[in-house]
Amino acid sequence: MNFEVTHVSRGDIRLKSEDKHVRVLGEALVALAPNEPGYVIYLNSLNKWEVPPNVTLTETEKRDVVSAIRKHFQDCGSVIEFE
């Protein structure tokens, strides 16, 4: 599944794939050095789709979401951490 990051805020990241939407909680950080994370993602918040509501993500979909987030931050030149 191809995910696109549509919005990054200081508390969450939103992604979409076709007509499905997912929200992942996280936290923007102040990186004091180029190799320090600028954002942390809370993997325990990655459970269900926002649209369609109350539908559980599969393990493959979760991996695809993580890959899309990783690529987004890599393309921006930022370090990300997953917890």
Side-chain angles (χ1 to χ4, degrees), residues 43-55:
L43 291 174
N44 63 349
S45 71
L46 184 56
N47 296 311
K48 296 187 184 262
W49 290 99
E50 251 190 343
V51 176
N54 298 320
V55 176

Side-chain angles (χ1 to χ4, degrees), residues 1-6 14-18 20-24 46 49 51 57-58 60-69 71-72:
M1 200 167 233
N2 290 327
F3 285 92
E4 172 190 354
V5 174
T6 59
R14 295 175 186 266
L15 302 95
K16 72 175 185 173
S17 179
E18 298 174 11
K20 295 181 174 183
H21 299 258
V22 66
R23 176 179 179 231
V24 185
L46 184 56
W49 290 99
V51 176
L57 285 133
T58 66
T60 300
E61 290 168 336
K62 289 179 184 182
R63 281 192 299 273
D64 291 346
V65 167
V66 168
S67 293
I69 292 170
K71 181 180 180 336
H72 175 81

Side-chain angles (χ1 to χ4, degrees), residues 29-39 77-81:
L29 305 171
V30 177
L32 300 176
N35 62 338
E36 289 185 357
Y39 208 96
S78 295
V79 177
I80 189 159
E81 185 174 294

